[in-house]
Amino acid sequence: MREKGIFISFEGPDGAGKTSVLQIILQRLKPIFGENLLITREPGGADNPIAEQIRNLVLSSNYSDIDLRTEVLLFAAARRQHLVQTIIPALENGKLVISDRYVDSSVAYQGGGREIGVQKVLDVNQFATEGILPDKTIYFNIRPEIGIQRINSTRTNEINRLDTDTIDFHKRVNKTYLELADDNKRRYEIVNAEANLEKVVEETWQLVKKIIDI
Ligand code: TMP
């Protein structure tokens, strides 16, 4: 099956600013796409109560004793539900779908960060997604030290369980993302997320326009 829409994922370490950029890009896309646009996120997802419940569970700071493989499975379970109930129907309706995080987050955070191993995490996610990948992934590239600094100094909303992990964890996440980008050159587009917000938005916007051909 090949869906008719376009599927883009936004990826990057914590503090890269991708969610703020996405909110601005959304305002530019809305007048063009109207109902034919779906902005969603993982873990969880737009209009997806099952996946959102899993999000609450897996990101809660109450459960720091979560088993590492349980964590992989919960992210993959949320992803499965999000894919079949939210993403695929939208793509089948020809929509532009942009997801704030998708499979590569599990590969980078659980595979690399938690040191479970990239291949093991890919295997679980192959089962969950049946191999469905985004057409393009925009990667917000920022050194982990700077990302963490940004979280600590600017974030006013929830700080989740993974935000509070050690700098070594975040360095492994970053390294795994860069390896993914290298292994998936045709799918990956890289944005310099260390620039100021305005510049990051403009670089992202140019990429999005190229991908959707406007
Ligand atoms: P965010 O909503 O700020 O992006 O937070 C989601 C957190 O969950 C972030 O720290 C990355 C983490 N995460 C994983 O570890 N694995 C995954 O598969 C996903 C989707 C997110």
Side-chain angles (χ1 to χ4, degrees):
M1 170 197 62
R2 184 64 195 102
E3 302 83 10
K4 290 179 288 178
I6 301 173
F7 180 17
I8 303 174
S9 64
F10 278 26
E11 291 283 357
D14 296 274
K18 64 183 167 39
T19 309
S20 313
V21 172
L22 186 52
Q23 288 315 309
I24 298 169
I25 298 285
L26 161 67
Q27 297 312 321
R28 297 184 186 186
L29 288 170
K30 251 192 201 159
I32 306 168
F33 282 85
E35 292 296 302
N36 286 322
L37 173 67
L38 174 74
I39 304 290
T40 186
R41 67 159 181 199
E42 289 201 357
D47 289 326
N48 199 313
I50 297 176
E52 283 290 316
Q53 287 277 12
I54 301 175
R55 178 189 177 92
N56 292 338
L57 177 67
V58 77
L59 295 184
S60 166
S61 0
N62 294 336
Y63 305 125
S64 53
D65 56 346
I66 192 167
D67 172 78
L68 295 188
R69 288 183 185 220
T70 306
E71 187 181 85
V72 174
L73 292 166
L74 285 173
F75 279 118
R79 177 161 304 122
R80 172 73 189 169
Q81 193 65 29
H82 182 219
L83 181 68
V84 298
Q85 202 171 29
T86 304
I87 296 178
I88 291 178
L91 291 174
E92 284 176 348
N93 281 322
K95 293 190 182 184
L96 167 63
V97 176
I98 305 184
S99 184
D100 186 347
R101 300 192 181 281
Y102 187 63
V103 166
D104 296 348
S105 284
S106 283
V107 177
Y109 281 80
Q110 282 65 55
R114 299 268 186 247
E115 298 181 293
I116 286 176
V118 163
Q119 195 54 50
K120 283 197 184 79
V121 173
L122 281 173
D123 289 346
V124 170
N125 278 278
Q126 171 65 31
F127 174 73
T129 64
E130 299 175 79
I132 296 178
L133 285 172
D135 298 298
K136 283 283 179 188
T137 294
I138 298 182
Y139 179 61
F140 292 78
N141 194 21
I142 187 169
R143 282 167 291 172
E145 298 83 352
I146 301 188
I148 299 304
Q149 226 173 39
R150 277 198 192 162
I151 291 171
N152 293 336
S153 63
T154 61
R155 246 196 197 182
T156 48
N157 56 350
E158 48 149 20
I159 290 191
N160 71 55
R161 189 168 53 76
L162 288 101
D163 286 337
T164 56
D165 273 295
T166 64
I167 186 74
D168 285 343
F169 169 80
H170 289 286
K171 281 184 176 161
R172 289 194 298 273
V173 170
N174 227 53
K175 181 168 170 283
T176 312
Y177 263 132
L178 293 174
E179 287 165 2
L180 271 171
D182 211 42
D183 290 345
N184 296 276
K185 287 200 179 72
R186 288 178 59 183
R187 174 162 63 90
Y188 262 74
E189 301 284 357
I190 299 180
V191 164
N192 172 18
E194 291 186 10
N196 64 41
L197 182 64
E198 203 179 320
K199 273 198 176 149
V200 182
V201 168
E202 276 323 304
E203 202 180 334
T204 310
W205 179 235
Q206 294 310 320
L207 284 172
V208 170
K209 284 205 304 187
K210 196 173 81 182
I211 296 166
I212 62 182
D213 200 19
I214 57 165

